[in-house]
Structures are given as C-alpha cells and as structure tokens.
Amino acid sequence: MVLRKRPAGRITKVEPRVPGVNTDQHAEFADLQWDDVRLFRAIHRLGSMRKVASDQGVVVNTIRRRIERVETRLGLDLARRSVNGIVLTENGEKLLRIGQAMSDAAEWDLADSTKDVLVKPGQLTIACTEGIGTLWLTPRMSRLQAALPKMIIGLDFDYNLARDRTHEADVWLTFEQPAEPDLITSKLATVHFAVYASKSYIGRHGSPSTMDSLKTHKIVEHVSPGVRSELLDFLIGTDRPQGFIAMRTNSSLSQLWSVAKGVGIGALPTFVSEITSAVKPVPPNLAIRREIRLVYRAKAKPSPAILATVKWLRECFDRAIHPCFADSYIDPKTFIRDSGETNIVNIFPNTFDEMN
C-alpha cells in the first residue's frame, strides 16, 4: 500500500505524442504538461489568483510566477487581468480544450490496454482527509487489498477538499459537491462532531457544561482548508481570554493525540468513540455535521477496481453497523467500541488507551 501526503507543486510531465493531441495541428502546445492543465482549470473555475492560491495552498506570487513560466515555455498569452479578476485568453481556452482531449485520449488508451480506467495503471488511488484516511480507512485496508490482490492501493491525504482531483485520484471523499462535469457523486455518510476531553484533563480542569463555559478551558484547534474553524467564533464569539487556544494544528491525528494527552479539549468526529476510550464526549452539544461525498469519474464506472472500492467504502461507512455516520446525531456514549481487527489500538499498541 502506498501511504503518503501529496507533495506541493509536484510536476508530472505528459508523455510525448499522446494520441490525438500532440499533432502538428497543435504544435504550440507540444510541451503542455498536466500541471499546466490543472493550473488553468483552476483559473477558469475560480477566476481569481487569490482564490487559486488559496485552493492550492500557496501564495499569490507563486501562482503569478507559474502562469508566467507556462506562458514563456509555450510562447503564448494564456490569461489576462480583468475588472472581475483573471480570465483566460483565446489560447488559454484552447489549452483547456486540448487538456481535456489529452485526458480522454489517455483514458481511452488505458481502457483498451488494461480493461480498466485508472489514473495510474496498476494502482487504485483514494484521496481523502488525513483523519478519515488514518483513523477509519487504514485499519480496514486489508479488506480492500484482499479484493484487489494484484493492485497497489494508494491512499493520498489532502487537506484541501475543494481541489480538482480528476487527474490525481480514482476515488475521492469530500465534504463539498464537486463542480467539475462528468463526475459521479453520492452521499456516503454524515460525520458529526462533539466536544471531547481526556480523563486527565477533566481531573485537572473539570468538564465544560455550557457553550459560554468553553471560554474557561484550553482548546486544541484543528485548522486546515475545508475545516470550518471559523465556527468557533460563531459559537463563543471572538472575545477570548489569553491562552484560550492551547494548540493549533492542521493535522486531525495530532489533534486527537493532543486531546488524549490532556493538552486541551477539542471538537472531534464522534467516530473516535468507536476507536478509543482515551477521550470521552463532554458537554455542550455542538450540533455540527458534515456530509461525506463519494466521487469518481463517470468514465471509470465500468472499472472492476472502482466498483470493488465503492463497495468497500460503503461497507466501511455502513450506518447500520456504525451509527456514528447516521444522518441524525446519536449520542457517542452509546456506541459499541470495535474490539476486532479495525481497532486502532492494534495499529498503535499501548498508546491511546493507556495514556491516562
């Protein structure tokens, strides 16, 4: 299994002479690369360098330099500023059309040669958040590998759930409805959030009882694209005492560890109650929920690997077995802890449950 975080700014060059694309008819785009296509798709979709920079987790100057480098390499003007932001020129629009043709040609060749349509031949790539990937999917990965014994399973963690992943992953889980066409999307589960604390923290500081009482506690905050950390301002206001935020991290696993170690309390997905008893839900009730959407390309629907993965994912998030993913909130104190092969303690022995 390949388990990695996606590197920023990775350059993947398109193989030369993709059938039907790198012809004399489009000689000016002979050096076109997949990253060029992704960049200008983002520009077309978002219409602002600031939004593109935020979408890709970089600063505006990085996007500006990337545009300039692509234009210099191709010798074409591809984008221009307007009163409404940044728009593509005629050549920029042509780049998008050729990029789509490159994608279609590559998928056609792959389907003909392997009877499967995957981003990387021989590898089924799933993209999701670190928390869902590490805490929920990884312990169940052996079941998928058993269904696809000749395949590499790629598990890519991505904090920016709004990004276009059509050329990076075969199946992805997101909290947002994708805007890209030709995608199959469906609701997979609902994730509910609650305030959690460790026994050691409660022993030292007590347990909060109301929303206002949260201000007297230490908070471990999770901040990353797609995580609506601004809801904290809405819930308790912006007037906070000094030291209110004990720790801020973009890693949900780091947040769980910190809460379990008594650094502070934190808003965690209620499925952690099925994983460990090192943290427990405490008042107040947050009433925060996010829907997980399952997404894959329509052209990949006949793929045996895709079908097996979709089946596995639906089993992983089966609400009849795991009520934490039900549409309505269910008190996590009623959850039955999984003591079988999916228990995270089997991955990290003598850690979570023996901290306190």
Side-chain angles (χ1 to χ4, degrees):
M1 182 178 74
V2 177
L3 187 64
R4 59 186 170 80
K5 291 186 180 179
R6 185 174 304 285
R10 182 180 62 189
I11 302 298
T12 305
K13 188 167 183 177
V14 175
E15 294 296 325
R17 294 291 173 187
V18 175
V21 177
N22 290 337
T23 64
D24 293 338
Q25 184 179 1
H26 304 299
E28 67 271 36
F29 291 97
D31 291 329
L32 188 60
Q33 299 177 6
W34 281 126
D35 272 10
D36 303 341
V37 176
R38 295 188 188 107
L39 172 63
F40 284 90
R41 275 181 171 171
I43 292 171
H44 178 71
R45 174 166 55 92
L46 300 173
S48 158
M49 278 198 284
R50 180 183 59 79
K51 290 181 180 178
V52 173
S54 176
D55 182 66
Q56 300 193 6
V58 297
V59 298
V60 172
N61 283 340
T62 298
I63 297 300
R64 185 178 292 112
R65 288 193 297 269
R66 286 182 60 192
I67 293 172
E68 291 172 353
R69 283 199 298 267
V70 176
E71 289 182 328
T72 299
R73 174 159 43 81
L74 299 180
L76 299 169
D77 291 328
L78 301 172
R80 60 178 176 80
R81 290 182 176 275
S82 74
V83 293
N84 296 319
I86 185 169
V87 297
L88 299 184
T89 64
E90 183 177 346
N91 283 325
E93 297 283 355
K94 187 176 180 182
L95 180 150
L96 290 187
R97 292 194 298 271
I98 292 174
Q100 186 60 50
M102 292 165 66
S103 174
D104 293 345
E107 289 178 352
W108 179 265
D109 284 355
L110 186 56
D112 279 351
S113 62
T114 67
K115 306 301 181 186
D116 221 335
V117 185
L118 302 176
V119 171
K120 296 179 180 179
Q123 176 170 320
L124 187 288
T125 304
I126 302 168
C128 61
T129 64
E130 178 208 27
I132 290 173
T134 301
L135 299 174
W136 199 255
L137 296 185
T138 296
R140 296 165 171 79
M141 194 59 67
S142 60
R143 300 177 188 173
L144 180 59
Q145 204 284 322
L148 302 172
K150 296 183 179 180
M151 285 233 169
I152 298 171
I153 307 299
L155 186 56
D156 284 8
F157 299 152
D158 196 334
Y159 297 104
N160 191 343
L161 298 179
R163 254 185 350 102
D164 177 7
R165 294 186 178 91
T166 51
H167 294 288
E168 300 174 353
D170 301 297
V171 176
W172 56 102
L173 307 182
T174 177
F175 293 139
E176 309 294 340
Q177 177 67 32
E180 292 78 12
D182 302 323
L183 295 177
I184 294 177
T185 69
S186 61
K187 180 180 174 181
L188 183 63
T190 301
V191 177
H192 300 270
F193 292 83
V195 179
Y196 278 82
S198 69
K199 293 177 183 177
S200 62
Y201 178 89
I202 294 173
R204 295 194 310 272
H205 304 284
S207 175
S209 56
T210 64
M211 207 66 75
D212 283 341
S213 70
L214 287 175
K215 292 183 179 181
T216 66
H217 288 268
K218 300 287 187 180
I219 301 293
V220 179
E221 188 178 23
H222 183 200
V223 178
S224 66
V227 176
R228 295 178 177 174
S229 52
E230 72 276 4
L231 287 176
L232 188 59
D233 295 337
F234 175 77
L235 292 173
I236 65 171
T238 57
D239 184 17
R240 307 170 182 177
Q242 187 174 6
F244 172 69
I245 301 295
M247 179 177 174
R248 180 174 287 132
T249 177
N250 70 340
S251 166
S252 52
L253 186 58
S254 174
Q255 183 193 29
L256 174 56
W257 271 99
S258 300
V259 173
K261 291 290 286 183
V263 174
I265 61 177
L268 301 174
T270 59
F271 66 72
V272 302
S273 289
E274 289 198 27
I275 293 172
T276 179
S277 59
V279 294
K280 58 181 290 187
V282 295
N285 182 11
L286 291 181
I288 297 175
R289 49 177 277 171
R290 301 296 302 275
E291 290 186 353
I292 303 177
R293 304 200 68 81
L294 168 64
V295 185
Y296 57 96
R297 291 166 296 136
K299 291 180 181 179
K301 185 177 181 179
S303 161
I306 295 293
L307 294 176
T309 303
V310 170
K311 180 176 182 292
W312 172 74
L313 284 168
R314 294 203 179 282
E315 290 172 351
C316 288
F317 292 92
D318 187 340
R319 283 164 271 185
I321 300 173
H322 304 291
C324 53
F325 298 118
D327 289 340
S328 57
Y329 178 83
I330 298 176
D331 187 349
K333 293 178 182 177
T334 66
F335 296 164
I336 299 175
R337 217 172 128 217
D338 189 348
S339 59
E341 64 177 355
T342 60
N343 190 335
I344 197 170
V345 177
N346 290 335
I347 299 178
F348 303 109
N350 303 321
T351 51
F352 282 108
D353 286 349
E354 296 186 7
M355 283 181 179
N356 299 297

